[in-house]
Amino acid sequence: MAPTTLFLMQIWFWITCNANATRPSPKFPAILVFGDSTVDTGNNNYLKTVAKANHFPYGKDFPGKVPTGRFSNGKLVPDFIASLLKIKEAVPPFLDPSLSNNDLVTGVSFASGGSGYDDTTAAVVGIIPFSKQIELFKKYIVRVEGILGEKEADKLIKGALVIISAGTNDFGFNIYDIPTRRLEFNITGYQDFLQKKLQMFIKELYELGCRKIVIAGLPPIGCLPIQITAKSENPKNRRCVDNENSDAQIYNQKLAKLLPKIQSLFPGSKIVYADVYEPLTDMINNPQKFGFVETKRGCCGSGLVEAGPLCNALTPPCANDLEYLFWDSIHPSEAAYQYISKYLEKKVLPKLDDDHQSQPLISLSNRTDD
């Protein structure tokens, strides 16, 4: 072999080995998701419920332009986060019967559109309450143990990124719009009730092996188009509902203070608050900064009431959904979810690092529901 050829092969070998050695591995081996329609990637497709998004125009901007059951025109925050973390490009629903072994070991969503921390919330539309989402997670662990073995499965669960997003439906269904809990609780009491439910859920996750958990606060509920529609006295003067936003801010402040206390109870855990109130409020107050033109109605149909079954082929979408903060009357558009994901990547995920010193959290919140 000629010296020049041998030399070139040595250079190629050195470059290849060093490239493989320095290529960053995913920070988390898997992503596990619990919650409501903000993070349901299609579980409701497999339920007997009207709360579904497996029909046009949902999914019009998803790869392949297919409705997947996601309550948006495209991807959700878990999909973007999984991609940003180089885990995978989209997070499948656990109830999908066609899941591959790789789908399972890299993570799934157990979330269900219309759910909440209060099981009464799920009963309204017959979807998966949080108490059942934890049971699905137990079945998931058994399946992963069958693929990887018990030891490696335990390692996977401990290293996985866990995302929890819920709460909006609880207030909408049980306090504001259908006051099923208003006879039992004032707003302060119900906030505390929900956060106790959340604390119990986190305890169950911890006992099942989860260690790195991100919990989203509430979005500005009073700025959801459907809430504006329901509460506006003058249809021509659509304004956010101030008291509902104030309730969300107080809830978020309580949650931000509670999570470090919960973390202290569970050795080896990282339990981090994700503020989605701030980025969404920024988009509402400064739409031009994000390319939005419309922030008070959704893109689907009139944008005033359409969501789930009411957003369908008979309610055609707007001409340019990139200009809309909301896709339907409840849920943000893919563009908004992408901005939120980048915000979380920068502001929240670094706090899960083992060497990160947690800082006291002073402010607010999350996204929207079903």
Side-chain angles (χ1 to χ4, degrees):
M1 182 179 292
T4 302
T5 303
L6 180 61
F7 177 69
L8 291 173
M9 287 182 67
Q10 288 173 328
I11 292 176
W12 174 85
F13 182 75
W14 182 89
I15 292 171
T16 302
C17 288
N18 277 275
N20 289 333
T22 59
R23 183 179 296 131
S25 59
K27 184 175 289 189
F28 306 94
I31 182 168
L32 303 170
V33 186
F34 302 86
D36 55 30
S37 57
T38 56
V39 289
D40 177 3
T41 57
N43 284 309
N44 279 19
N45 294 353
Y46 306 96
L47 305 177
K48 292 181 179 179
T49 177
V50 298
K52 293 185 179 182
N54 59 349
H55 52 269
F56 185 82
Y58 287 102
K60 66 180 282 293
D61 298 311
F62 194 83
K65 301 185 182 301
V66 293
T68 61
R70 289 167 173 81
F71 288 81
S72 192
N73 55 307
K75 291 185 175 183
L76 307 181
V77 168
D79 300 313
F80 286 119
I81 294 295
S83 179
L84 289 168
L85 293 173
K86 298 180 171 52
I87 299 172
K88 52 185 169 185
E89 290 305 305
V91 180
F94 178 65
L95 294 185
D96 183 347
S98 66
L99 292 176
S100 68
N101 286 352
N102 186 64
D103 288 331
L104 286 165
V105 299
T106 51
V108 295
S109 173
F110 305 93
S112 181
S115 193
Y117 299 123
D118 184 349
D119 278 2
T120 302
T121 305
V124 176
V125 286
I127 45 77
I128 310 170
F130 262 63
S131 58
K132 293 293 189 297
Q133 290 184 32
I134 203 77
E135 294 304 315
L136 292 179
F137 181 46
K138 291 176 183 177
K139 293 180 180 179
Y140 167 83
I141 292 173
V142 172
R143 291 177 68 177
V144 172
E145 287 177 344
I147 299 168
L148 300 178
E150 190 173 332
K151 184 177 179 181
E152 287 301 311
D154 181 65
K155 184 179 177 181
L156 179 95
I157 301 299
K158 279 184 166 62
L161 170 64
V162 178
I163 294 176
I164 303 174
S165 175
T168 303
N169 292 323
D170 293 309
F171 288 96
F173 290 160
N174 299 322
I175 298 293
Y176 299 138
D177 304 329
I178 309 172
T180 53
R181 288 289 195 182
R182 208 182 290 169
L183 293 177
E184 297 177 66
F185 300 101
N186 59 22
I187 192 68
T188 299
Y190 194 59
Q191 290 170 345
D192 296 340
F193 170 79
L194 292 180
Q195 293 188 5
K196 285 178 183 176
K197 290 281 188 181
L198 172 59
Q199 184 167 352
M200 292 168 58
F201 188 74
I202 293 170
K203 182 176 183 288
E204 289 185 282
L205 290 177
Y206 181 83
E207 290 172 347
L208 291 169
C210 299
R211 294 295 181 268
K212 299 177 185 293
I213 305 173
V214 172
I215 294 125
L218 295 176
I221 297 175
C223 291
L224 304 186
I226 197 164
Q227 294 303 105
I228 296 176
T229 299
K231 307 294 165 58
S232 290
E233 296 180 3
N234 181 358
K236 295 182 179 180
N237 183 25
R238 292 175 58 80
R239 299 178 59 185
C240 295
V241 186
D242 290 340
N243 69 297
E244 293 182 7
N245 284 349
S246 295
D247 292 342
Q249 287 179 301
I250 293 169
Y251 174 94
N252 291 333
Q253 290 166 349
K254 289 181 178 180
L255 182 61
K257 292 177 181 178
L258 175 64
L259 294 182
K261 295 176 183 177
I262 296 176
Q263 179 178 295
S264 70
L265 299 175
F266 303 126
S269 69
K270 286 281 185 177
I271 302 173
V272 176
Y273 169 72
D275 181 354
V276 297
Y277 191 105
E278 182 179 330
L280 276 168
T281 300
D282 192 17
M283 292 180 218
I284 291 166
N285 293 337
N286 305 289
Q288 68 289 341
K289 190 165 76 173
F290 302 91
F292 295 130
V293 174
E294 178 58 67
T295 64
K296 291 183 172 61
R297 64 179 67 218
C299 171
C300 184
S302 70
L304 304 179
V305 296
E306 292 87 349
L310 297 180
C311 175
N312 54 55
L314 299 178
T315 57
C318 60
N320 186 0
D321 51 48
L322 291 174
E323 295 181 346
Y324 280 68
L325 170 57
F326 291 97
W327 162 247
D328 61 19
S329 67
I330 299 174
H331 306 96
S333 63
E334 181 186 64
Y337 279 138
Q338 190 163 21
Y339 286 123
I340 292 171
S341 300
K342 290 176 180 177
Y343 176 91
L344 297 178
E345 180 193 26
K346 181 179 179 182
K347 300 285 188 179
V348 176
L349 295 183
K351 295 176 184 176
L352 291 169
D353 291 343
D354 291 333
D355 58 351
H356 179 86
Q357 298 298 313
S358 59
Q359 300 294 325
L361 292 167
I362 304 198
S363 84
L364 329 153
S365 25
N366 169 169
R367 180 281 3 135
T368 133
D369 279 21
D370 195 348

